[in-house]
Amino acid sequence: EAGVAQSPRYKIIEKRQSVAFWCNPISGHATLYWYQQILGQGPKLLIQFQNNGVVDDSQLPKDRFSAERLKGVDSTLKIQPAKLEDSAVYLCASTLTIGDTQYFGPGTRLTVL
Amino acid sequence: AQSVTQLGSHVSVSEGALVLLRCNYSSSVPPYLFWYVQYPNQGLQLLLKYTTGATLVKGINGFEAEFKKSETSFHLTKPSAHMSDAAEYFCAVSDGKNYGGSQGNLIFGKGTKLSVKP
């Protein structure tokens, strides 16, 4: 069974630029999560989707971050414009349904200069 | 509000020695508790979880953890460390939100990096 796929693995941008990350969850998994992991900290949930609907985006900085999961499968997370403090690893995870064990992708490491 | 505190950002043990990684939690509802491991440049992998029932939980790779309600703790142990155990370990608690009776979302601690010396 293929795992959660993410791309790119690494991204370096300058502040005020835009960036997008892509996630392909495990086949058949209805629930998808985006986390932000800042160096030295644990992952923090940014947004949770159930199929193509948002369940929880209470910690998403909506002035600069956006995410979508239009067909209930793949998802993209966008930052526009990026700030220095957005430097982090962005992790995607999926579950068969809400409450199941979360399976994590390898993450995208973003560096904002 | 739910929260997790992991004592010690770095722990170093010798190969074959006992591994003990500490986790204390705060939760306003009966907690679901988890330990995840993260190897360099990889995502998180579930080691074990406690939901209800037996308080001693066995996980993968020889790890186990014991839920102690009176101490609000969920420490992770392994009797004998192996070089391959070197990684970062995260304790997490469910956020208590009820999604149709499920465990809710995860709140992670800051992590403990485990080093294993030969």
Side-chain angles (χ1 to χ4, degrees), chain B residues 4 6 23-24 33-36 74 89-93 107-109:
Chain B
V4 171
Q6 291 185 239
C23 173
N24 289 90
L33 295 159
F34 307 81
W35 276 100
Y36 281 82
F74 191 57
Y89 293 79
F90 292 91
C91 182
V93 64
I107 297 171
F108 286 90

Side-chain angles (χ1 to χ4, degrees), chain B residues 5-71:
Chain B
T5 301
Q6 291 185 239
L7 300 175
S9 57
H10 288 88
V11 170
S12 181
V13 300
S14 298
E15 192 172 20
L18 171 72
V19 175
L20 171 60
L21 304 181
R22 300 178 187 272
C23 173
N24 289 90
Y25 70 90
S26 172
S27 179
S28 57
V29 298
Y32 289 1
L33 295 159
F34 307 81
W35 276 100
Y36 281 82
V37 61
Q38 187 175 34
Y39 298 100
N41 298 315
Q42 294 187 28
L44 281 74
Q45 179 183 8
L46 181 68
L47 275 178
L48 50 81
K49 66 179 179 181
Y50 168 80
T51 53
T52 58
T55 56
L56 183 62
V57 181
K58 295 187 183 300
I60 62 172
N61 302 338
F63 284 93
E64 61 183 35
E66 186 171 12
F67 170 60
K68 292 187 176 181
K69 183 178 179 180
S70 60
E71 299 178 9

Side-chain angles (χ1 to χ4, degrees), chain A residues 5-13 17-24 32 34-37 46 49 60 64-69 74-80 82 86-92 107-112:
Chain A
Q6 291 188 246
S7 68
R9 292 294 312 276
Y10 305 90
K11 189 74 176 179
I12 300 174
I13 62 172
Q17 285 187 323
S18 301
V19 65
F21 313 127
W22 174 82
C23 173
N24 180 235
L32 185 147
W34 282 102
Y35 289 87
Q36 180 191 57
Q37 185 178 15
L46 291 176
F49 291 95
L60 186 74
R64 298 184 300 107
F65 286 66
S66 64
E68 60 183 14
R69 194 184 184 200
D74 294 5
S75 177
T76 56
L77 176 69
K78 298 179 181 178
I79 307 175
Q80 180 180 11
D86 298 333
S87 294
V89 175
Y90 291 85
L91 294 165
C92 180
T108 296
R109 183 177 297 276
L110 173 67
T111 302
V112 182

Side-chain angles (χ1 to χ4, degrees), chain B residues 72-87:
Chain B
T72 62
S73 69
F74 191 57
H75 301 330
L76 182 71
T77 60
K78 182 174 180 178
S80 177
H82 192 272
M83 296 295 291
S84 61
D85 295 327

